[in-house]
Amino acid sequence: MENTTQKDSLLEEVKLYLRVDVSDFDNEINGFIQSSIVYFKNKISSDFDENKDFEKSILKDRVRYQFNRAINEFEYDFISELLNLEELYEEKN
């Protein structure tokens, strides 16, 4: 489980990416972060590491789609990245 400092740091990075500078949306964004981590662990690999650059990047994009209420378009728009991610984790196993 992530420690609080890592979780807070990830929240701040995502907020910066989303251009959200108020704390009003922190709970919602944290929920999106956690659901995205679960999504990637179920879809790609239980070894998914949200602290690695590529993984963090696609995680931020998925949160952006959730935040903008467009999550149903994420897989279509990011099919290439998702396939690359799957290949990356297949190579590790």
Side-chain angles (χ1 to χ4, degrees):
M1 183 171 193
E2 282 184 312
N3 68 39
T4 304
T5 305
Q6 286 177 318
K7 189 175 177 182
D8 291 342
S9 175
L10 183 56
L11 172 63
E12 291 307 314
E13 283 186 57
V14 171
K15 285 175 61 176
L16 183 63
Y17 183 69
L18 297 175
R19 297 183 180 177
V20 173
D21 58 359
V22 295
S23 61
D24 298 356
F25 300 103
D26 285 7
N27 288 336
E28 183 178 19
I29 294 170
N30 263 326
F32 292 154
I33 291 169
Q34 295 310 311
S35 69
S36 292
I37 290 170
V38 169
Y39 167 84
F40 288 118
K41 286 187 177 199
N42 287 330
K43 183 159 186 77
I44 308 298
S45 170
S46 59
D47 295 329
F48 179 82
D49 183 355
E50 65 274 10
N51 296 307
K52 293 184 178 176
D53 290 339
F54 181 64
E55 288 87 334
K56 187 182 293 185
S57 175
I58 198 167
L59 173 76
K60 289 190 291 189
D61 282 316
R62 188 169 191 281
V63 171
R64 177 173 54 94
Y65 273 63
Q66 286 181 290
F67 189 74
N68 290 307
R69 309 298 188 253
I71 194 63
N72 56 326
E73 299 171 24
F74 175 78
E75 284 190 16
Y76 178 79
D77 291 348
F78 284 84
I79 189 69
S80 177
E81 291 85 351
L82 290 169
L83 290 172
N84 287 339
L85 193 59
E86 285 177 356
E87 288 177 13
L88 177 69
Y89 278 91
E90 283 176 5
E91 290 173 6
K92 289 181 180 180
N93 295 328

